[in-house]
Amino acid sequence: MERQELKRELDATLEARRELGSEYESALVESFVEKVDTQVRRRLAEERLGAARGGGPAPAPASGTVPGSGTFGERFGFAIVTLVLAVPLSAIGAAQARLSGLVVVWAGIVAVNLVHARSPRGRAKVVDAA
């Protein structure tokens, strides 16, 4: 289904909604969303097939890594989130238990980051290029 075909489907769905009334709106919307979903899935499958054959437009992952297995962005984002959360946690820990509370909070932050960094999801997996 090309873009023009999808536009015609949307126009037909809207026209059917006008004719049938709001009672059938959810069914019409669901039907249209299924058509869009099918189109998206087909395009993704075509891109994956093209990439598997070596000529597709699918974006290539970084050399030697498996996408989604702990990319730099994911690790950096996790570190940023823990540092952002460290501010209020440090304030709470220091207010409740002074220096010992602050030490406990930061020990927890360091531990969480270490566990994330050592987990299989926390770092990129190297793939044999053989």
Side-chain angles (χ1 to χ4, degrees):
M1 196 183 305
E2 294 297 319
R3 176 173 241 158
Q4 291 297 329
E5 202 173 324
L6 197 55
K7 185 181 181 318
R8 281 192 298 269
E9 284 290 332
L10 177 59
D11 289 340
T13 301
L14 292 173
E15 184 61 32
R17 196 275 185 204
R18 280 187 216 105
E19 291 177 12
L20 297 173
S22 61
E23 306 86 49
Y24 295 98
E25 185 173 329
S26 63
L28 291 169
V29 168
E30 187 175 317
S31 172
F32 181 73
V33 168
E34 279 188 31
K35 290 174 185 174
V36 171
D37 185 50
T38 301
Q39 173 67 16
V40 169
R41 288 178 190 270
R42 192 177 90 225
R43 282 188 185 172
L44 284 173
E46 288 172 358
E47 286 180 8
R48 287 180 184 157
L49 182 62
R53 291 182 179 169
S63 178
T65 62
V66 175
S69 62
T71 61
F72 173 76
E74 179 185 330
R75 292 177 301 177
F76 184 72
F78 187 82
I80 293 297
V81 167
T82 57
L83 288 175
V84 166
L85 291 174
V87 174
L89 290 175
S90 296
I92 293 168
Q96 295 297 319
R98 306 235 183 251
L99 182 61
S100 61
L102 192 61
V103 169
V104 168
V105 166
W106 278 97
I109 291 167
V110 169
V112 165
N113 278 288
L114 283 175
V115 168
H116 184 265
R118 292 176 189 243
S119 73
R121 246 183 102 58
R123 57 192 139 100
K125 296 176 189 172
V126 177
V127 177
D128 274 342

